[in-house]
Amino acid sequence: RVRCEVEGRAASAAEIASFLGLRARTGATAGASAPPEAVHLQDAAFWKQLVSAQRAARQGRLMTPVAGGASDDAGQPSALESIRLAGTLAASGFQRALVTLNEAMLWRRLGDNEQARRQLEVLKKQRLAHHVAGNDYLGAMECIVSAWCAYTARDLPLAQSLLGGMADDPARSVVLRHHPDVRFEWCNLWALGCRSRALALAAEDAPAARLLAEESLRRFGDALTAAFESHSFDAAQHVAANLGMAVWLFDRVGLALPALPSAPAGGPKRRGDASAASDTTRHAVQWIAFSEWLCGQADGQGRSAWNAIYLMRIARGHCGAEPRPTLAQFRAQAPLDPAAISALAGPLADAFDATHWPARWVEVAQARLADHQAGRRRYPGLQHCSLLFEHAWYAAHAGDLKAAERSLVTLREALPQLVPSDRAYFAESWNDGLPAELVLEAKPPRRPAARPRKAAR
């Protein structure tokens, strides 16, 4: 005998029929061809809960509730709690599969590839066991989240193979062409993969790297268009920041591109500026400023940690001290301060309000780290480690070696959660980029056996 249960209770006849792929029939509808996924009143509760989960994710409440504060969202459930509650309200195969997909995407954002892949396996079983409405969309997004997991693990060949296979598949290519959310995810991730490959090839094969860089910028532009087609400020701010950092990174490795994209309202290039590099920096800053401005336009949208990290890297990017400089040499460097970055943003400078952007970079980093520590925000591993390193760099530059050392101690504890290539980046930056006096006190992690090319993530 087989006992069928759903969430610990006996399954109804309709649920068993749905599991078997049969159409439910009642006396009133016998002979009719009503779809099994008919809309029921309880659907409203499910969709409301799903929206709450997605809103919590946009605000950065990924795994823990917001702690303290007077915000309307203080004490509200995290995205993970909300999406699991939505799962208890799901009444159809599609709704259950959608919950699984959203949980996989959430774990991916948290940097937990193992949990994300588990959810993708569950999603695959759900799609195979039922004829799920929206299966083409779910299949396309399953492929994209799998590609994101590969990219996060720095397996670029696998990530781009998955995306390429999706574009070549007749059914999924139709979804990719006509669904703006799917197209945004595909183009944004493909562009990030091209960006990474271009940076890795720049020193060995400049012509091939330049072609990849041009494709990266083109795909970022496609992703931005798709984001606005779907009216998603959240998606648009992500790709705008990625585009700005790509422009700057390509210039750093000598990939001079013939035409750099301008941010909205960025204005024309000023004639007579000191160098082409300053124009590149201005373009990069304006795209990141546009991203930050978009964060402010979304109701309740949390500010992006990546925008702060990218701008702090750009601000110190021209500082070129010798490896492991003395403290005096290190402090003699002149990174751009927040006011100078705001000036480069031109008409987009209003994105940098005083509340979120203090006058010193060390305070910018400290404010975001305080939010993370207090539970007001929860930054995934790579973002958290990046904020810790930027805080250490700018605290040391301000002469506060004790504060810098505290951040480096926390960074050392957090590094094991990162993939090897990301750990190598921080080991290189720690060993070579910080003053000798600080390195002596805060012992850096060991360099990898084969030193990778240093490149900002």
Side-chain angles (χ1 to χ4, degrees), residues 145-156:
V145 179
S146 297
W148 265 116
C149 289
Y151 176 80
T152 303
R154 303 303 177 216
D155 189 344
L156 292 181

Side-chain angles (χ1 to χ4, degrees), residues 291-347:
S291 171
E292 189 68 10
W293 181 82
L294 285 168
C295 287
Q297 302 309 301
D299 182 32
Q301 171 70 55
R303 298 283 171 160
S304 166
W306 280 126
N307 289 344
I309 293 163
Y310 289 164
L311 291 175
M312 284 187 280
R313 287 179 179 171
I314 290 172
R316 62 180 177 85
H318 66 281
C319 297
E322 292 297 315
R324 200 171 292 192
T326 65
L327 182 60
Q329 291 170 330
F330 181 79
R331 296 194 66 193
Q333 299 176 109
L336 301 173
D337 60 23
I341 289 289
S342 182
L344 287 174

Side-chain angles (χ1 to χ4, degrees), residues 387-397 403-405 407-408 434 438:
L387 285 170
L388 287 167
F389 183 81
E390 296 303 324
H391 179 264
W393 197 97
Y394 283 101
H397 190 266
E405 187 178 345
S407 285
L408 292 175
L434 295 175
L438 179 58

Side-chain angles (χ1 to χ4, degrees), residues 244-245 247-249 251-252 260 275-288 311 313-315 317-318 336 340-341 344-345:
M245 197 59 178
V247 166
W248 186 73
L249 287 172
D251 182 73
R252 293 274 292 168
L260 293 172
S275 67
S278 66
D279 280 337
T280 301
T281 301
R282 184 176 297 107
H283 278 295
V285 168
Q286 287 178 356
W287 274 114
I288 297 169
L311 291 175
R313 287 179 179 171
I314 290 172
H318 66 281
L336 301 173
I341 289 289
L344 287 174

Side-chain angles (χ1 to χ4, degrees), residues 387-457:
L387 285 170
L388 287 167
F389 183 81
E390 296 303 324
H391 179 264
W393 197 97
Y394 283 101
H397 190 266
D400 191 349
L401 294 189
K402 289 298 181 184
E405 187 178 345
R406 286 193 295 271
S407 285
L408 292 175
V409 168
T410 307
L411 175 59
R412 179 192 292 280
E413 295 169 354
L415 281 178
Q417 67 186 295
L418 302 184
V419 298
S421 60
D422 290 342
R423 292 199 301 271
Y425 164 73
F426 286 107
E428 286 289 293
S429 300
W430 189 332
N431 275 284
D432 293 341
L434 295 175
E437 291 88 337
L438 179 58
V439 172
L440 188 64
E441 291 298 322
K443 299 293 185 185
R446 287 184 180 179
R447 298 180 192 271
R451 290 178 62 178
R453 186 176 298 106
K454 187 175 175 181
R457 298 292 168 196

Side-chain angles (χ1 to χ4, degrees), residues 17-85:
S18 175
F19 176 78
L20 296 173
L22 304 175
R23 295 183 182 274
R25 296 176 182 272
T26 65
T29 60
S33 57
E37 307 292 352
V39 175
H40 301 286
L41 185 60
Q42 65 264 32
D43 285 354
F46 167 79
W47 295 118
K48 179 176 181 289
Q49 190 59 43
L50 187 65
V51 168
S52 297
Q54 292 174 340
R55 184 168 183 262
R58 284 197 303 272
Q59 294 172 342
R61 294 185 282 119
L62 302 180
M63 199 171 183
T64 55
V66 171
S71 166
D72 292 339
D73 293 308
Q76 292 299 308
S78 69
L80 185 59
E81 292 174 301
S82 295
I83 197 63
R84 287 180 170 173
L85 181 54

